[in-house]
Amino acid sequence: MSGQSTHHGPGAAGHEAHMDPATAREAATLGIWTFLATEVLLFGGLFTSYIIYRIKYPQIFYEGHLKLDHVLGAINTVVLIGSSLTVALGIAAIRKGKVGLLRLYLFLTLLLAGTFLGIKYVEYTEKFSHGLYPDTDIFFSLYFMLTGLHGLHVLAGMVLLGAVLFLAGRGRYSESYHTPVEISGLYWHFVDLVWIYLFPLLYLLG
Amino acid sequence: MQETTWNGEPLKNGDPPRGYLEAKGFWAWAYTLDHKRIGVMYLYTTLFFFLAGGVFALLIRIKLMFPGQHIFTNQTYNVLFTMHGALMIFLFVIPAIPSGLGNFFIPLQIGARDVAFPRINLMSYWVFVAGIVVILFSLVRPMDTGWTFYTPYSARTAADVTTLSFGIFLIGMSSILTGLNFLVTIHKLRAPGMTWHRMPLFIWSMYATSIIQVLATPVVGITFLLLAMERVLGVGFFDPAKGGDPILFQHFFWFYSHPVVYVMILPAMGIISEIVPAFSRKPIFGYKAIAYSSMAIAVFGFFVWGHHMFVTGMSGTAAILFSLLTYSVAIPTAIKVFNWIATMYRGSITFESPMLYALTFIFLFVIGGLTGMYLGALGADIHVHDTYFIVAHFHYTMVGGTVMGLLAGLHYWFPKMTGRMLSEKMGRPAWLLIFIGFNVTFFTQFILGFEGMPRRYAEYPAQYQALNILSTVGSWILATGILIMFANFVRGLFRGALAPPNPWKALSLEWETGSPPATENFEEIPTVTDWPYGYAGRQT
Amino acid sequence: MKEHDSGTRTYIVVWGALVMLTVVTVAVSYVHLGMMNVFVALLIASAKASLVALFFMHLRYENRLVWGFALAPLFFLVLIVVGTLSDTLFR
Ligand code: HEM
Ligand SMILES: [Cu+2]
């Protein structure tokens, strides 16, 4: 109790200093993978519903998927894959200490993410104008829940990457410290991963 | 007793050093990153809901003493048992041990200064509080669905299930964040020398618990989200009118809620595994068996959810499958019980309150577990499902198990958390009343259930009245015991004798630091060379 | 996360492969293969997912612990699907 260490006051500043940098990085990696595991099971409930109803109502799924715009879906897939690439390149850049390049790539990522949501918006309005809503039938319930939840994740990812971009501008990250960049990058790739399955399941399979 | 030093520290105006409790004021708590303070905040919050839920329970019991008399409306009765169940389960039994005692003691027991992500830890607490606020807000309109929120009723009732769903989603999120934090903490922050097989068994049980929290909770999250969307957007997954399947809701609900009974019971088992050897002065028997059975329970627990659904119109294939699987969970549970008993065998046992509660846990939980086995058998369950037999079963497991484990832990660690001792003079009578009251309240319900009294009705045929009166009287005895126990806590906080660092002469690391511990837990991170159960055989 | 050569070229190659696979999966969807359509689509999606996980997410360079954390949820995903199907398929 004598040598009260300064970094352990009740205030928030610098508390994480109780781990050495290497441990902190490993902990963060493990933490984000654990978080992604929870995300798998969050979407898992929807995937389970998808499988069950697909088996039960093949006809509804067949007719439903015809009403989706395959071309826009495919374009969006490519857009999201592109954003994954830019994030990966951004991380590669900061690993070499190139902050400017990181910011450029993050900016591109946000642009692509915005494009993705823009296209989603077009698709949704298109569906609504044809009277297709979440309560239309089981297929559209699934379509809107899956893409909606995924869209929310895209939005959350944009906020996260936006924050990283902002902090990078403040000179927070360097060759030796860039864990938050890596962590948010992993989250972003996961968002991409989910879409990689959603696209064929909803748009392509009849 | 005029001392000037305490554990080598000079006394300040006659008071010992307050360790992590030194800083005062609202912000020193609300903004803290200290796992110990966060744990204490969780304990206060959850214990508050224990008392609140208890009041609802007493009201239910009073109504059930007088069938046919108009004490309150049947609708009020439905609201009362929903509130009782929902508050107790989501705001007390699930979070109390992991988020409260777990937060406080995981870093201490593994010799770390804090959890891996202190900020996330604080966030998890405030998300929890936000969830509570949202839930309370949703209860402005009376909630009448039962704590299981089965569709299609929950999708249609005028009660505000939508808001409540978001509240539960938040509570779930908080639980996930806590579990995640603990998993990483246990992996990455163990003191040098603390191999997996030198970890205290409480840590093993918390590790297993965290796995369940992380993997099961997201499913209940999406389930309640879909329920809310069903009400808001007309999504039809659970709505037969739209081609949906109400039983799907139950699958999702129990995919979470069965594993979650292990979130309730595993940490309690961990506490018992600490207390039994400490108060028997003997090395724990079957360390590895206990440790691995925690992991086995966590995993097997995911395979048996269907046993809650035998009577729903589930397919025969699934019913038989789930019935068989249910028995697989019994084995690791039995292993633990045998090991505790073997640990006590020929030990020099002392009966302070922590041990009394630990023994009560073993006794009551065995009854709860055995009746659970009985219910896991397809044929028997169809007979007693939705009777008071079920109510008795889960109170023997949740109150007899989890709550007794929690009380054991609170009595065991109270000196460490507060720096003061509890009074045994108050502690023992309180325990005795709780023990008697509990059995009178709930054993009668086994008999009632067997005689066919259905649960969740405000009224019942006169033939059941005598036992109901007995049960209600039991609830008063129980409540008296709990009140005395809380009085003992309050007294201990202010007037309890000063606690030495290690009042029970236990061997795990939390006892090697001050009572209460300093903010940074250990002046120097200890190096571990042995397991924490090397109690030197029998002493006299 | 050791420092390793996370080469720009590798990333671009992986990206190219992902785009190619997207084109392939769209193309295949126009061919009628019955149940095989589902199988092929999932196979391609999983190939793409593996590429993202291994290269973009650096799973290739991670230790066994991280692999465990990454793969465990898949097992439980299968579990909830199979458990639920054991009811709905046979009702
Ligand atoms: C103070 C001691 C307690 C008493 C006297 C008590 C009494 C009762 C009563 C009378 C019911 C109503 C049964 C019915 O008509 O369906 C009930 C239900 C229930 N209790 Fe308790 N209880 C107590 C403590 C607890 C605790 C600590 C928990 C936490 C696990 C708990 C969890 C439940 C649950 C889950 C239900 C079922 C609710 C439902 O089916 O909607 N109880 N309890
Ligand atoms: Cu169960």
Side-chain angles (χ1 to χ4, degrees):
Chain A
M1 263 154 254
S2 37
Q4 273 283 10
S5 61
T6 42
H7 63 265
H8 266 259
H15 195 85
E16 262 101 327
H18 71 285
M19 284 186 276
D20 62 86
T23 314
R25 207 169 55 232
E26 287 169 22
T29 309
L30 213 52
I32 183 70
W33 279 103
T34 313
F35 183 75
L36 296 183
T38 72
E39 293 276 23
V40 170
L41 285 148
L42 185 76
F43 281 97
L46 285 169
F47 282 126
T48 312
S49 314
Y50 175 94
I51 294 172
I52 285 169
Y53 290 126
R54 215 195 129 77
I55 293 174
K56 203 165 168 191
Y57 305 115
Q59 192 58 27
I60 296 182
F61 276 70
Y62 177 73
E63 282 158 17
H65 102 287
L66 290 180
K67 295 181 190 140
L68 297 183
D69 192 327
H70 304 198
V71 178
L72 285 185
I75 293 178
N76 248 353
T77 309
V78 175
V79 167
L80 216 51
I81 291 174
S83 75
S84 247
L85 173 69
T86 50
V87 163
L89 290 175
I91 293 171
I94 193 64
R95 281 182 174 182
K96 299 202 180 84
K98 297 181 187 154
V99 180
L101 210 52
L102 167 68
R103 291 176 62 197
L104 173 68
Y105 281 129
L106 285 178
F107 180 75
L108 284 177
T109 310
L110 288 178
L111 216 61
L112 288 167
T115 312
F116 179 89
L117 287 184
I119 293 180
K120 247 333 355 119
Y121 176 79
V122 173
E123 284 191 76
Y124 272 27
T125 33
E126 157 82 13
K127 295 289 152 304
F128 294 156
S129 72
H130 286 84
L132 299 170
Y133 293 103
D135 61 354
T136 302
D137 61 23
I138 288 280
F139 178 80
F140 279 97
S141 288
L142 271 165
Y143 169 76
F144 280 106
M145 286 300 106
L146 279 164
T147 56
L149 189 65
H150 178 260
L152 284 179
H153 279 76
V154 173
L155 215 57
M158 287 176 75
V159 172
L160 207 65
L161 291 175
V164 171
L165 177 57
F166 173 77
L167 290 174
R170 290 283 193 86
R172 271 291 186 82
Y173 307 122
S174 62
E175 194 177 343
S176 57
Y177 174 72
H178 49 261
T179 310
V181 189
E182 305 248 5
I183 298 305
S184 4
L186 283 172
Y187 178 79
W188 188 257
H189 293 310
F190 176 79
V191 173
D192 184 19
L193 260 180
V194 172
W195 183 258
I196 284 178
Y197 281 97
L198 290 191
F199 171 59
L201 287 182
L202 293 172
Y203 290 79
L204 298 183
L205 292 178
Chain B
M1 260 190 289
Q2 213 32 50
E3 294 171 66
T4 52
T5 61
W6 181 252
N7 302 330
E9 301 281 326
L11 291 183
K12 282 187 208 155
N13 335 314
D15 282 335
R18 302 290 294 140
Y20 79 99
L21 292 168
E22 198 75 60
K24 291 215 160 44
F26 178 76
W27 292 111
W29 285 89
Y31 227 60
T32 183
L33 294 180
D34 183 342
H35 67 101
K36 298 184 287 303
R37 285 182 176 233
I38 295 172
V40 169
M41 292 197 290
Y42 264 117
L43 279 178
Y44 275 114
T45 314
T46 49
L47 287 176
F48 172 81
F49 285 102
F50 175 48
L51 294 177
V55 171
F56 290 121
L58 291 173
L59 290 174
I60 299 172
R61 283 290 357 141
I62 288 174
K63 162 69 202 152
L64 289 175
M65 216 157 118
F66 305 107
Q69 285 186 37
H70 207 79
I71 299 182
F72 33 67
T73 62
N74 293 347
Q75 174 69 8
T76 309
Y77 180 84
N78 293 352
V79 171
L80 282 176
F81 80 66
T82 303
M83 299 275 279
H84 167 69
L87 293 188
M88 284 290 198
I89 290 190
F90 291 111
L91 304 186
F92 168 59
V93 182
I94 295 177
I97 305 187
S99 301
L101 293 176
N103 241 319
F104 200 106
F105 287 101
I106 288 176
L108 284 168
Q109 284 202 325
I110 64 174
R113 299 213 185 275
D114 208 320
V115 291
F117 311 114
R119 254 173 254 273
I120 292 183
N121 202 15
L122 179 63
M123 187 166 106
S124 127
Y125 176 75
W126 286 111
V127 170
F128 181 65
V129 173
I132 292 176
V133 172
V134 174
I135 287 181
L136 293 181
F137 195 72
S138 77
L139 295 177
V140 171
R141 266 184 281 162
M143 186 62 60
D144 58 355
T145 58
W147 80 279
T148 47
F149 305 100
Y150 277 2
T151 52
Y153 183 68
S154 59
R156 291 180 196 154
T157 170
D160 194 358
V161 174
T162 309
T163 310
L164 182 115
S165 297
F166 284 111
I168 292 190
F169 191 85
L170 289 174
I171 301 277
M173 216 162 113
S174 145
S175 170
I176 287 175
L177 293 176
T178 302
L180 183 156
N181 220 333
F182 290 171
L183 281 182
V184 178
T185 304
I186 296 172
H187 268 287
K188 289 291 161 197
L189 296 187
R190 278 170 289 135
M194 181 169 291
T195 56
W196 284 85
H197 288 144
R198 285 179 188 161
M199 294 196 314
L201 288 164
F202 180 64
I203 301 294
W204 274 101
S205 75
M206 283 307 308
Y207 185 80
T209 306
S210 305
I211 291 180
I212 303 176
Q213 283 181 300
V214 162
L215 291 175
T217 319
V219 175
V220 84
I222 190 72
T223 311
F224 277 86
L225 217 57
L226 290 178
L227 176 56
M229 289 304 118
E230 182 139 350
R231 294 172 62 92
V232 178
L233 296 178
V235 169
F237 295 166
F238 307 136
D239 185 352
K242 295 203 176 81
D245 180 359
I247 296 181
L248 186 62
F249 176 88
Q250 296 186 25
H251 276 293
F252 287 176
F253 184 83
W254 290 111
F255 182 84
Y256 164 76
S257 293
H258 184 82
V260 135
V261 308
Y262 298 110
V263 168
M264 305 176 193
I265 205 66
L266 276 170
M269 291 171 157
I271 291 174
I272 305 308
S273 307
E274 299 294 312
I275 293 178
V276 164
F279 288 82
S280 310
R281 312 304 311 163
K282 266 187 64 192
I284 185 96
F285 185 87
Y287 172 90
K288 283 190 188 170
I290 296 181
Y292 297 163
S293 65
S294 289
M295 301 300 291
I297 288 174
V299 175
F300 290 162
F302 277 96
F303 287 80
V304 301
W305 78 84
H307 65 216
H308 292 272
M309 301 167 56
F310 289 154
V311 200
T312 55
M314 181 165 77
S315 78
T317 319
I320 292 168
L321 189 69
F322 280 119
S323 180
L324 289 177
L325 284 170
T326 294
Y327 284 88
S328 68
V329 207
I331 299 163
T333 309
I335 289 177
K336 280 185 198 279
V337 173
F338 287 128
N339 281 309
W340 292 324
I341 293 173
T343 304
M344 288 186 284
Y345 177 69
R346 303 186 67 159
S348 38
I349 303 177
T350 51
F351 294 96
E352 287 93 348
S353 341
M355 187 62 167
L356 291 175
Y357 286 106
L359 293 173
T360 310
F361 171 99
I362 298 176
F363 177 67
L364 298 181
F365 187 71
V366 165
I367 298 179
L370 286 178
T371 52
M373 288 291 85
Y374 178 71
L375 295 173
L378 193 48
D381 184 52
I382 289 173
H383 175 61
V384 291
H385 176 74
D386 268 339
T387 69
Y388 263 81
F389 196 90
I390 309 291
V391 179
H393 154 69
F394 66 59
H395 281 86
Y396 265 82
T397 51
M398 290 200 278
V399 183
T402 312
V403 178
M404 289 308 141
L406 172 73
L407 299 186
L410 284 176
H411 284 82
Y412 180 57
W413 280 319
F414 189 92
K416 182 55 62 183
M417 292 190 284
T418 64
R420 291 183 185 272
M421 301 297 289
L422 287 170
S423 148
E424 282 298 319
K425 270 210 202 82
M426 279 170 89
R428 285 182 188 163
W431 164 80
L432 189 65
L433 289 174
I434 290 176
F435 182 77
I436 295 173
F438 175 83
N439 283 300
V440 174
T441 310
F442 291 107
F443 199 82
T444 43
Q445 297 185 5
F446 275 130
I447 306 172
L448 283 169
F450 220 79
E451 289 176 357
M453 176 172 166
R455 67 188 277 216
R456 292 190 174 177
Y457 290 96
E459 299 298 341
Y460 55 82
Q463 83 215 59
Y464 299 124
Q465 193 179 8
L467 283 174
N468 268 294
I469 292 176
L470 189 59
S471 177
T472 302
V473 171
S475 75
W476 296 339
I477 304 175
L478 177 55
T480 313
I482 288 175
L483 282 183
I484 299 177
M485 181 191 76
F486 271 97
N488 191 17
F489 288 163
V490 174
R491 189 203 146 275
L493 262 182
F494 295 103
R495 296 218 191 302
L498 292 183
N502 189 359
W504 316 119
K505 305 279 172 290
L507 300 180
S508 41
L509 286 180
E510 77 269 31
W511 304 107
E512 287 185 19
T513 178
S515 296
T519 304
E520 74 274 25
N521 290 352
F522 302 93
E523 238 166 83
E524 235 171 88
I525 295 294
T527 301
V528 180
T529 54
D530 201 358
W531 72 331
Y533 302 104
Y535 295 101
R538 286 196 283 159
Q539 358 162 289
T540 23
Chain C
M1 232 177 279
K2 277 165 250 103
E3 287 314 317
H4 42 77
D5 183 33
S6 26
T8 307
R9 185 170 304 131
T10 321
Y11 286 149
I12 292 180
V13 170
V14 169
W15 173 78
L18 288 171
V19 173
M20 278 304 300
L21 286 169
T22 307
V23 173
V24 172
T25 192
V26 173
V28 171
S29 77
Y30 288 98
V31 189
H32 272 281
L33 302 171
M35 268 312 280
M36 277 303 277
N37 272 117
V38 181
F39 183 72
V40 172
L42 284 180
L43 200 71
I44 294 179
S46 300
K48 288 164 74 181
S50 310
L51 284 177
V52 172
L54 287 173
F55 291 93
F56 286 173
M57 299 174 91
H58 310 299
L59 204 52
R60 219 155 49 108
Y61 303 103
E62 298 292 1
N63 55 28
R64 293 237 301 279
L65 183 61
V66 173
W67 273 85
F69 275 53
L71 294 183
L74 301 182
F75 172 76
F76 289 89
L77 185 60
V78 172
L79 181 65
I80 187 172
V81 171
V82 171
T84 311
L85 282 178
S86 81
D87 170 22
T88 56
L89 275 188
F90 299 103
R91 222 183 270 160

